[in-house]
Amino acid sequence: MSLNNQITATIISCFIGIYVNSQQVDSLEQESMAIKQLNEVVVTGESKVMSLSKKLFAVGVVDQKDIAKVAGNNLADILNYNLNITITPDASTGRSTVNMFGLDGQYVKILIDGIPMASDNGLGNNIDVTQINLEDVDRIEIVEGSMGVLYGDNALAGVINIVTKRGLEGDYSWQVQLSVQEETVGEEYSLFAEGRHIQNLKVSNQVNNKLGYSIGASRNDYAGFYNNFRGKDYVNIQDNTLINDGLRGTEWNPKEQLTAFGNLTATVGKHNIFFKLQYFDEQVTVYDRNITGRLNPSTGLVNPTALDEIFETDRWVNNLTVSGPLKGQTNYNLFFSYQDQKRYYQQYVYNILQQGIESFIADDLSQSSKIWYSKGFVSNIVPKSESFNAQLGYEFTRQTGFDAIATGEYSNDVVENTLENYDFFGVLDLNLTNKLSFYPGARFTNNSQFGNQLIWSLSSTYDFTDTFKLKAVFGSAFRAPNFEELFFYFVDANHNVQGNPNLQPEDGISVFLNLENKYKTGESGLLKSAIKSYYFDIQDKIASVVTADDNDRSLFTFANVDYSKILGFSWENSIKLDRWQAGLGATYMGESTAIDSSADSNSDYLWSFNIQTTLGYTIPSWKTTLSTQLKYTGRTQVLVPGDSGPVVGQTDDFTWMDASIRTSITKDLDITLGARNIFDIVTVNASNVPSGAHASNSSASRLFGNGRSYFLKLSYNLNLN
């Protein structure tokens, strides 16, 4: 479909589709009536008086109702509905990461209740968003713009904060929540095998108005996407001869996730305490497409086996948040966390005809991280001044561990390392007039690997009217190398893959502008329109390189060799009028990337055009909401394999559409059904960008979806006194 046809279809869908986009629609009325709801959220650096995040940055909110409308189970299910966010899946590993304003997951910080989340590759960045369960989530805060001063390194594109539910609404003492969700994967489904099967349970008890707790568990069983492959028990034997046709296994690897949690909320005087304990387990199974055909000496028949693998992630999270008044209107916020993550690797011989495991080749701990984290800040330090205020804080991180697996094989030569950060930061609030304010800020960071660094920013706001406002953020484009880039180690007779402990942080310039206005339409309607512009100039970008080691073997490592520039403009509109809700947004973005180590680098801008439309309709008498969302994603830059290493390439454009209907059967029972990926996207072409004499016309396909899928979710809430 041509770009013009894509745009036409998108605009038409705004009138014929039905969807409620939470972030752009339902939060409008809340913002116009009571902005204080966000101001009271201390977990993202908000204070009741200073409210830095809300003042300086564009903040979007996705709440429980918004998640329920689309039957979102994990963060990947919901984030793709944002105009400036794209979810990038990897079929081989099962991971899905965030791309925000053209920057990948290394530049987006993901927090749980204000605390960075541990991952396979570091802390807070490059998170697999399919591992974040939403059944215990009150809301998702999406803060746009470079936020390194407030939230530390690698918060260049923005911050996504997942806020846990706390306490019960109303006068209830007990609440029991149950839900079951069945979903096809493309056209594939069976009750206990193919498809996606989700179960959730949560029990909450509000002991009194100062003490409450909850416990719960969730299971997400994804059977993989076959897509013409034949599964783990497929084998082609003809005339007692094994035919290796490459059809064994699945296109997308199956995985099973288990999440268990316990939360405790307490109030002691004017001080609030929240503790979260969470356990997460994920198993990803990889089926070998190559089958070995051995003859059984006793029968003379072929005995086919395959060398399969299991990657298992175990994570324990212990988070504690304490907040309250320090003196008068001066507030404090303290965060403490201990997280323990391990990834295990198993390789085993699977007997296909007997459908069982014959023996284990490897059963090893391949990655381990133990993370100690603490952050604290004091807000509204000068409460009596109308023209001057300040926020000061610290942040400490200590990560110890190792990563010793690559290319599906294990190295016994494990090297454990430690990475520490000591940060101090501050932001001033200078109100020059009742309309114009400036917020200079700086963070001094001391890292055990690359020493002292300075992250800085200068932000400003100008209020033309109470509803017409301009926000500007100008600062450094700072990203620190993660644990994997510094310390990855996999060396044996056939491999030499190592991190580079001498890496330096990326840096450069970032600019973010947000101009927004709100208009009343009728007595209850509200129209919101925002124009955004952003620019990132990243120097010394970290990339994979190939050099020679002391024995003249190929050494795969990392180096500061690249640069990247991104320039973008977006226009977002949303309206709520009686029972109707609608949204229309567009982004025009250019990316320029250079790889000094590759002769096929291309430093020209690749421009892409993205459109998102939403439309929804509510039927109060039926207690029903109909909804649909459509998103057109234009061409994007991507690194693709070349003859002498990675080269800059591009993925083609594609259009994604979802639709759903949610209704209340009784006051306690809700049902949601719908369809995802209505246009049946599975693969998107990825090809090299021509660059002079070294142009390449090679192309490949990149997996993006599971095909058109359908889901049904039943939710039951029982409230008791």
Side-chain angles (χ1 to χ4, degrees):
M1 184 182 290
S2 67
L3 177 60
N4 290 335
N5 290 337
Q6 296 275 15
I7 296 173
T8 301
T10 303
I11 295 174
I12 291 174
S13 72
C14 189
F15 297 96
I16 65 174
I18 304 174
Y19 179 79
V20 179
N21 182 350
S22 59
Q23 182 178 340
Q24 294 182 321
V25 176
D26 287 349
S27 61
L28 289 177
E29 186 176 17
Q30 295 175 2
E31 289 182 346
S32 65
M33 296 173 59
I35 292 180
K36 69 176 184 179
Q37 291 184 3
L38 265 186
N39 294 350
E40 293 175 352
V41 180
V42 298
V43 292
T44 51
E46 307 286 352
S47 73
K48 295 180 181 179
V49 179
M50 198 168 182
S51 188
L52 276 180
S53 292
K54 187 68 178 179
K55 281 187 176 182
L56 300 185
F57 305 99
V59 181
V61 180
V62 182
D63 63 20
Q64 299 177 46
K65 293 181 180 179
D66 306 323
I67 297 170
K69 289 169 186 173
V70 297
N73 173 260
N74 60 58
L75 196 58
D77 292 335
I78 199 74
L79 279 186
N80 206 39
Y81 298 153
N82 186 287
L83 174 65
N84 294 304
I85 292 179
T86 301
I87 302 300
T88 305
D90 187 328
S92 60
T93 63
R95 303 180 78 249
S96 292
T97 54
V98 171
N99 184 294
M100 190 171 181
F101 296 114
L103 295 170
D104 64 30
Q106 297 282 13
Y107 303 87
V108 182
K109 203 146 197 175
I110 296 182
L111 316 174
I112 297 180
D113 299 312
I115 296 174
M117 176 182 172
S119 73
D120 290 347
N121 301 305
L123 182 66
N125 296 96
N126 205 30
I127 300 295
D128 179 3
V129 290
T130 68
Q131 294 184 351
I132 302 176
N133 186 275
L134 299 182
E135 294 301 322
D136 188 36
V137 171
D138 178 71
R139 67 186 176 278
I140 302 164
E141 300 171 349
I142 303 173
V143 192
E144 301 175 343
S146 181
M147 306 184 67
V149 171
L150 288 177
Y151 298 106
D153 52 20
N154 305 18
L156 180 56
V159 168
I160 299 172
N161 186 52
I162 296 95
V163 183
T164 301
K165 294 178 184 177
R166 305 182 186 187
L168 296 179
E169 297 180 358
D171 297 327
Y172 298 108
S173 299
W174 290 89
Q175 183 182 70
V176 179
Q177 296 175 292
L178 295 166
S179 67
V180 177
Q181 182 171 334
E182 293 295 310
E183 190 166 336
T184 72
V185 177
E187 298 179 352
E188 304 164 6
Y189 178 78
S190 62
L191 188 57
F192 298 106
E194 298 176 354
R196 188 180 179 195
H197 315 279
I198 303 170
Q199 304 90 38
N200 300 287
L201 169 64
K202 180 183 178 182
V203 179
S204 303
N205 176 217
Q206 193 68 36
V207 180
N208 52 48
N209 60 355
K210 294 185 177 181
L211 179 64
Y213 65 90
S214 61
I215 57 173
S218 178
R219 174 178 178 266
N220 184 351
D221 182 16
Y222 171 72
F225 181 38
Y226 286 73
N227 195 27
N228 298 322
F229 288 92
R230 306 294 179 82
K232 69 175 182 178
D233 294 323
Y234 168 79
V235 62
N236 187 355
I237 300 176
Q238 300 180 15
D239 298 328
N240 204 33
T241 301
L242 174 67
I243 307 298
N244 251 317
D245 52 18
L247 294 178
R248 182 178 182 264
T250 56
E251 182 84 90
W252 293 71
N253 295 321
K255 62 181 177 180
E256 183 180 28
Q257 298 174 336
L258 299 174
T259 304
F261 61 86
N263 304 323
L264 176 67
T265 304
T267 301
V268 180
K270 296 182 179 180
H271 305 274
N272 300 312
I273 301 172
F274 177 73
F275 177 71
K276 183 179 188 68
L277 174 65
Q278 185 184 75
Y279 172 73
F280 173 81
D281 177 85
E282 177 187 76
Q283 286 193 2
V284 179
T285 305
V286 181
Y287 300 123
D288 190 3
R289 304 205 196 286
N290 184 53
I291 303 173
T292 300
R294 302 173 299 173
L295 290 178
N296 188 324
S298 61
T299 63
L301 300 177
V302 173
N303 186 30
T305 59
L307 205 58
D308 293 344
E309 299 165 307
I310 294 177
F311 294 85
E312 181 178 4
T313 297
D314 279 350
R315 182 186 303 121
W316 283 96
V317 176
N318 302 266
N319 289 349
L320 174 66
T321 304
V322 184
S323 63
L326 188 64
K327 182 180 180 181
Q329 294 180 332
T330 301
N331 303 305
Y332 75 92
N333 297 269
L334 294 173
F335 306 86
F336 304 95
S337 177
Y338 173 71
Q339 301 181 54
D340 187 346
Q341 165 153 321
K342 290 181 171 58
R343 186 176 67 233
Y344 298 91
Y345 171 69
Q346 292 181 329
Q347 188 179 50
Y348 57 90
V349 177
Y350 182 78
N351 190 304
I352 297 176
L353 296 182
Q354 296 180 7
Q355 299 183 7
I357 297 175
E358 282 191 357
S359 61
F360 282 90
I361 306 299
D363 188 357
D364 302 295
L365 174 64
S366 65
Q367 181 267 342
S368 175
S369 292
K370 295 182 178 180
I371 298 168
W372 292 93
Y373 174 86
S374 178
K375 179 178 180 178
F377 60 86
V378 178
S379 301
N380 198 29
I381 294 178
V382 193
K384 296 182 180 180
S385 174
E386 295 182 357
S387 59
F388 173 79
N389 216 322
Q391 174 174 303
L392 298 175
Y394 78 91
E395 191 168 21
F396 165 76
T397 304
R398 176 185 172 88
Q399 180 176 358
T400 301
F402 62 88
D403 198 339
I405 194 167
T407 63
E409 298 182 46
Y410 179 76
S411 170
N412 289 313
D413 191 6
V414 172
V415 178
E416 185 169 278
N417 291 278
T418 299
L419 187 66
E420 291 184 343
N421 257 70
Y422 300 88
D423 294 7
F424 298 92
F425 62 91
V427 179
L428 301 181
D429 186 345
L430 306 176
N431 300 306
L432 302 186
T433 70
N434 60 350
K435 293 186 176 182
L436 178 64
S437 299
F438 285 92
Y439 308 89
R443 173 181 285 247
F444 174 80
T445 177
N446 176 269
N447 184 277
S448 57
Q449 285 300 122
F450 48 79
N452 299 328
Q453 300 287 331
L454 180 67
I455 306 174
W456 59 272
S457 68
L458 176 61
S459 306
S460 179
T461 61
Y462 187 83
D463 298 342
F464 297 94
T465 67
D466 290 340
T467 60
F468 187 28
K469 301 183 179 184
L470 173 67
K471 302 176 183 179
V473 182
F474 175 63
S476 55
F478 184 90
R479 181 180 89 80
N482 61 35
F483 198 83
E484 178 189 27
E485 292 167 336
L486 290 168
F487 301 127
F488 188 93
Y489 192 87
F490 178 71
V491 178
D492 62 10
N494 301 313
H495 305 89
N496 191 358
V497 187
Q498 300 184 42
N500 181 0
N502 296 318
L503 283 174
Q504 294 299 306
E506 303 173 0
D507 210 343
I509 298 298
S510 67
V511 181
F512 192 91
L513 301 174
N514 183 76
L515 180 66
E516 81 173 32
N517 204 353
K518 299 174 185 176
Y519 312 87
K520 286 187 176 181
T521 56
E523 294 185 0
S524 60
L526 186 65
L527 169 65
K528 179 179 177 181
S529 183
I531 297 175
K532 302 176 183 179
S533 179
Y534 47 93
Y535 174 72
F536 305 104
D537 185 348
I538 303 172
Q539 301 296 322
D540 296 326
K541 194 171 184 181
I542 299 170
S544 301
V545 297
V546 182
T547 62
D549 63 11
D550 296 337
N551 298 320
D552 203 29
R553 294 189 308 171
S554 293
L555 168 62
F556 297 85
T557 186
F558 301 90
N560 298 93
V561 296
D562 300 357
Y563 79 80
S564 179
K565 296 180 180 180
I566 296 176
L567 176 62
F569 310 89
S570 66
W571 184 29
E572 301 177 27
N573 303 275
S574 55
I575 186 171
K576 183 173 183 179
L577 185 62
D578 296 327
R579 299 180 183 180
W580 292 92
Q581 307 89 26
L584 176 62
T587 291
Y588 190 60
M589 185 181 69
E591 299 180 69
S592 173
T593 302
I595 305 176
D596 295 343
S597 61
S598 171
D600 293 335
S601 296
N602 181 6
S603 59
D604 295 334
Y605 274 97
L606 172 66
W607 291 92
S608 63
F609 186 56
N610 300 345
I611 295 180
Q612 184 180 27
T613 66
T614 64
L615 194 64
Y617 184 71
T618 302
I619 309 174
S621 59
W622 292 1
K623 298 181 181 180
T624 298
T625 299
L626 309 173
S627 54
T628 190
Q629 182 259 5
L630 185 147
K631 187 175 183 180
Y632 165 78
T633 301
R635 300 177 304 163
T636 56
Q637 283 197 352
V638 64
L639 294 181
V640 296
D643 295 336
S644 57
V647 296
V648 179
Q650 69 181 45
T651 58
D652 288 352
D653 57 349
F654 63 96
T655 302
W656 192 282
M657 184 177 181
D658 295 344
S660 64
I661 176 173
R662 179 177 174 84
T663 186
S664 297
I665 306 299
T666 68
K667 68 182 183 65
D668 298 322
L669 180 63
D670 295 328
I671 182 171
T672 309
L673 55 91
R676 308 191 201 274
N677 192 8
I678 291 175
F679 292 149
D680 201 21
I681 301 296
V682 176
T683 60
V684 177
N685 289 333
S687 59
N688 291 34
V689 175
S691 56
H694 299 284
S696 172
N697 294 320
S698 63
S699 63
S701 61
R702 187 176 183 182
L703 289 165
F704 260 91
N706 292 168
R708 185 183 302 110
S709 302
Y710 304 92
F711 63 86
L712 171 66
K713 181 175 182 178
L714 295 174
S715 303
Y716 181 73
N717 293 336
L718 176 62
N719 296 300
L720 301 171
N721 290 319

